[in-house]
Amino acid sequence: MPQDKQTNRRIVLASRPHGAPTEANFRLETGHVPTPSAGQILLRTVWLSLDPYMRGRMSEGPSYVPPVAINEVMGAGTVAIVERSDHPDYAEGDWVVSNSGWQDFALSDGKDLFKLSGPVLKHPSWALGMLGMPGFTAYMGLLDIGQPQPGETVVVAAATGAVGSIVGQIAKLKGCYVVGIAGGADKCRYAEESLGFDRCLDHRAGDFAESLKRHCPEGIDVYFESVGGKVFSAVLPLMNTKGRIPVCGLIADYNSTEPAVGPNQLPQFQGTILRKRLRVQGFIITQDYGHRFGEFFSQMSQWVAEDRFVFREDSVEGLDHAPETFIGMLEGKNFGKVLIRVAGDQP
Amino acid sequence: MPQDKQTNRRIVLASRPHGAPTEANFRLETGHVPTPSAGQILLRTVWLSLDPYMRGRMSEGPSYVPPVAINEVMGAGTVAIVERSDHPDYAEGDWVVSNSGWQDFALSDGKDLFKLSGPVLKHPSWALGMLGMPGFTAYMGLLDIGQPQPGETVVVAAATGAVGSIVGQIAKLKGCYVVGIAGGADKCRYAEESLGFDRCLDHRAGDFAESLKRHCPEGIDVYFESVGGKVFSAVLPLMNTKGRIPVCGLIADYNSTEPAVGPNQLPQFQGTILRKRLRVQGFIITQDYGHRFGEFFSQMSQWVAEDRFVFREDSVEGLDHAPETFIGMLEGKNFGKVLIRVAGDQP
């Protein structure tokens, strides 16, 4: 079912998942296209961004973002086109980044929009990737919390994902030795050959922990954490004194439903924090760094214009495929930044 | 056996402890008083500081300080008197802070000494307490890592100990609501009545976790960690968004010999770091902040001169009591900063 201009398709949260989400947790609804009131803008979604943090919003429990209500449309960043505008700053045909969610049409008062112009219009979906939230997360987490120095060893989990691939490439620009961690030989080859990481290791390999140790002969100075679980357990003993661990996600734990079985690794973690004098810091990009978006966007746009980055997108056609694509992403089935191409428009 | 000027008593590490140290891990030796060579200073110990970090130095495994070798004298900070000097900067009779260890006499080349002068000479053992390493640990950990703001809630473990008592008093000076945690009703009463904490809770009480929650109605912004174990488990769920956890010690774990049994609390800790965007940072005062000792000493000396602080010492007479006193301290038997009065000298 492709997008048409008479119908608004919306994917709503039908029920809260227990453990891994299933398609039954979502429901596709159709309805009328909303009509903008005074001062409002009608947006039509072209690209929809799917990101791991959305799993947290599906649960009721405390997460770092408020939960989506049952029967509410799933929230998401999008690239959209202004269909109609009663707002002085936006005109029909403008391309914007918005929070219009898993649906074809949405209204905005303009406050949450970011108008696309210049080079990013050559490739508008980049505004949801290396020039958007994932790139911003990589940039601030690595540079502000991780503070990598030339010659240091930076290890990045989910190395071929939207955030991890940018983390590693910025770390290379900063003169670091970069070891990625990814799931499967294809992703690892891509990280080494296309992204330019010094190494990329497969966390599914039986000798993963030994391999990580062998390939980090001088220990680890910065570990960019987005995964948790056994990847973290392999990284922790290799952390160097004064190491930094920015934590932007823990995808391995998002679907867990039971208390984790022992042994209790907490004392080991605390002991390592103390002995190695580590700094471990969680961050939520919009809340902690929203005021520095301009700084990021300006630097990153320049790097992108200079062709310094490789950025792989894993896009799927059609809004109705969003649930299965999202579920697959949580299982690591994606290869690159996950996007839904909701409409075929080009700037 | 009191100090005499013909004999050097030395307490050496006889064997490495498995779990909690026992007196059999130490041995008292006697020998000749060493003779200073050109440029050297002969020190005579008056006050010996006993501190939890010394437990780490008794083990071979990685700690944050190098281990003491078997048959080597136990290391420690001391307040000592210069007995003889062939060094231009030190004269017989000077009082100094030194690293002369668990013994009566030691040689120094002067590089590791800090000469005492002015008001601290009224009470030289303070140079091992609020004006020394414990005070410095409290000051930098709380102010540089914890960054407490007026009105915030600061929770401090080991609240009546050398470090914790200063942490809480500085936090009060900074306008915070301060909740201490200590072992036993006497210590708690002292923290509230003498140290001026808003509350102090007994971690041995059956309802400790509930009580902590009740007495931190606005959550916890800064938790000064020196304990670990079940105190930490009660604190973690109460941490506020953007909370800070300086980690200067983990005394509850120092004597553990077995991997901790489950459930595995690591995912919960990581998840809290992420969701609450916590900053957790270990530090070793001398290594991380050695260059800022002057700043601390000047500010703290002023506060001490203004009588802003209460500082309780728990001192025991006689070098030969150092092992049993140290063992008791690891069990929380002390009440205040633990010192051995090795000699009766007064400035």
Side-chain angles (χ1 to χ4, degrees), chain B residues 18-39:
Chain B
H18 180 75
T22 67
E23 294 202 41
N25 298 128
F26 302 93
R27 189 173 60 244
L28 177 67
E29 297 182 344
T30 54
H32 294 293
V33 175
T35 305
S37 309

Side-chain angles (χ1 to χ4, degrees), chain B:
Chain B
M1 185 173 74
Q3 190 177 65
D4 74 70
K5 295 200 179 181
Q6 275 66 54
T7 313
N8 187 20
R9 298 171 302 171
R10 312 163 74 235
I11 297 178
V12 303
L13 182 65
S15 58
R16 300 203 182 280
H18 180 75
T22 67
E23 294 202 41
N25 298 128
F26 302 93
R27 189 173 60 244
L28 177 67
E29 297 182 344
T30 54
H32 294 293
V33 175
T35 305
S37 309
Q40 283 191 322
I41 301 150
L42 176 66
L43 300 169
R44 181 168 56 81
T45 306
V46 177
W47 290 98
L48 166 66
S49 179
L50 296 181
D51 301 279
Y53 77 85
M54 296 169 182
R55 173 62 187 86
R57 300 199 60 190
M58 297 179 75
S59 292
E60 202 148 39
S63 177
Y64 51 81
V65 279
V68 177
I70 297 293
N71 297 325
E72 272 284 351
V73 68
M74 288 287 295
T78 60
V79 164
I81 293 176
V82 173
E83 281 289 298
R84 289 170 59 188
S85 176
D86 188 55
H87 190 293
D89 298 342
Y90 293 91
E92 202 174 306
D94 280 351
W95 285 69
V96 296
V97 174
S98 85
N99 294 304
S100 58
W102 298 27
Q103 58 186 344
D104 286 308
F105 291 94
L107 297 175
S108 166
D109 61 5
K111 287 188 189 139
D112 63 338
L113 302 184
F114 177 73
K115 202 187 295 191
L116 297 182
S117 61
V120 67
L121 273 181
K122 284 196 295 189
H123 202 124
S125 60
W126 281 351
L128 301 173
M130 56 180 166
L131 288 166
M133 189 270 287
F136 191 23
T137 301
Y139 183 94
M140 285 295 167
L142 179 67
L143 297 180
D144 194 65
I145 302 177
Q147 299 187 14
Q149 306 302 312
E152 285 193 328
T153 297
V154 173
V155 170
V156 54
T160 61
V163 175
S165 64
I166 298 297
V167 168
Q169 290 178 91
I170 297 176
K172 284 305 298 175
L173 278 182
K174 296 290 176 185
C176 299
Y177 172 74
V178 175
V179 177
I181 299 171
D186 283 357
K187 289 181 181 175
C188 288
R189 195 175 318 110
Y190 168 78
E192 293 180 1
E193 293 177 1
S194 300
L195 299 178
F197 291 17
D198 296 286
R199 283 276 177 264
C200 187
L201 307 174
D202 183 355
H203 63 74
R204 296 174 187 163
D207 66 343
F208 165 64
E210 298 76 38
S211 175
L212 184 65
K213 184 172 183 180
R214 199 165 56 245
H215 288 102
C216 296
E218 297 179 31
I220 299 172
D221 300 294
V222 180
Y223 171 56
F224 195 99
E225 171 68 295
S226 58
V227 166
K230 70 172 186 177
V231 170
F232 180 77
S233 301
V235 164
L236 184 62
L238 305 179
M239 289 301 299
N240 285 336
T241 294
K242 300 289 276 176
R244 289 82 68 197
I245 305 182
V247 182
C248 86
L250 292 165
I251 198 167
D253 301 325
Y254 289 168
N255 287 334
S256 65
T257 56
E258 304 293 328
V261 296
N264 185 4
Q265 296 174 286
L266 180 60
Q268 184 206 357
F269 185 28
Q270 293 175 303
T272 307
I273 290 172
L274 173 61
R275 284 194 307 273
K276 303 282 186 70
R277 301 135 63 196
L278 303 182
R279 175 177 176 183
V280 184
Q281 189 167 341
F283 70 106
I284 310 295
I285 190 65
T286 47
Q287 279 125 319
D288 291 319
Y289 292 105
H291 59 293
R292 293 177 67 181
F293 183 80
E295 168 191 340
F296 151 75
F297 193 79
S298 144
Q299 172 65 78
M300 198 71 182
S301 298
Q302 188 188 322
W303 282 337
V304 169
E306 293 165 4
D307 241 347
R308 303 279 204 123
F309 285 88
V310 169
F311 191 72
R312 180 174 179 135
E313 296 181 331
D314 186 342
S315 74
V316 174
E317 296 268 331
L319 180 61
D320 43 334
H321 292 297
E324 70 191 68
T325 306
F326 178 70
I327 291 165
M329 176 184 67
L330 293 178
E331 295 165 359
K333 287 186 181 163
N334 60 301
F335 192 165
K337 165 67 191 139
V338 180
L339 294 162
I340 300 292
R341 194 155 191 21
V342 180
D345 303 68
Q346 306 275 4

